[in-house]
Amino acid sequence: MIGIEPVPADGAQLRQAFGCFPSGVTAVCALIDGVPVGMAASSFTSVSVTPPLVSVCVQDTSTTWPKLRDRTRLGVSVLAEGHDAVCLSLSRKTGDRFAGVDWVAAPDGGVFVHGSSVWLDCSLHAELPAGDHAIALLEIHGLRAEPDTPPLVFHGSRFRRLAAV
């Protein structure tokens, strides 16, 4: 045996294992009745170039995603180094998630966080059930990339910075 154990029912060990994989952190946001609404998501990945798609996984218990999924446009911001407080703010369960967050809205309603390394102007392409989450496939309609702006990295339940090797 090589030391692989069954997944315990409580999920704590599985969450710890998932934390061994570093990920970027995104903000998925839109204007609703003139007010910014958004959430932080670390389960984000590129999917396809043709058509241009990315994905984000959203917990079924999210109270924010049901408000966002029907928007004409969603702003996806890949958060940058130094956006630790922004990520924590957008992760709050209560209160004003945008307090202290420097943001801008696009004409179609997507909301973007200033200083991010990438802005993606998206719409919902498809949504697939996946266990206790939904996989939202987002079609990219426009973008702005700042390749010299280092991303915020989430690893081992902490924010990290990239280091050159």
Side-chain angles (χ1 to χ4, degrees):
M1 183 65 177
I2 59 173
I4 295 180
E5 301 172 18
V7 177
D10 72 358
Q13 188 177 8
L14 188 57
R15 279 189 288 280
Q16 183 182 34
F18 288 165
C20 291
F21 182 74
S23 65
V25 184
T26 60
V28 180
C29 310
L31 281 181
I32 299 176
D33 298 326
V35 177
V37 174
M39 61 185 187
S42 62
S43 55
F44 167 86
T45 192
S46 57
V47 174
S48 171
V49 172
T50 307
L53 299 173
V54 293
S55 71
V56 63
C57 296
V58 183
Q59 285 183 325
D60 291 341
T61 58
S62 171
T63 57
T64 306
W65 179 241
K67 297 173 188 173
L68 293 172
R69 73 165 41 104
D70 294 329
R71 299 288 100 197
T72 303
R73 286 290 206 270
L74 298 169
V76 176
S77 301
V78 176
L79 299 181
E81 263 184 25
H83 276 152
D84 311 42
V86 170
C87 181
L88 293 174
S89 186
L90 291 172
S91 299
R92 287 187 196 137
K93 298 291 183 200
T94 60
D96 180 3
R97 289 184 177 179
F98 284 85
V101 175
D102 190 12
W103 59 274
V104 63
D108 287 336
V111 170
F112 301 95
V113 176
H114 278 288
S116 296
S117 57
V118 175
W119 286 354
L120 301 172
D121 180 33
C122 299
S123 63
L124 182 62
H125 178 77
E127 190 172 345
L128 310 162
D132 59 2
H133 281 65
I135 301 170
L137 292 174
L138 305 177
E139 183 172 355
I140 303 167
H141 301 282
L143 62 89
R144 175 179 170 175
E146 302 291 338
D148 293 331
T149 300
L152 181 64
V153 177
F154 192 68
H155 178 257
S157 299
R158 292 182 44 205
F159 297 118
R160 313 272 184 163
R161 297 190 188 319
L162 295 177
V165 290

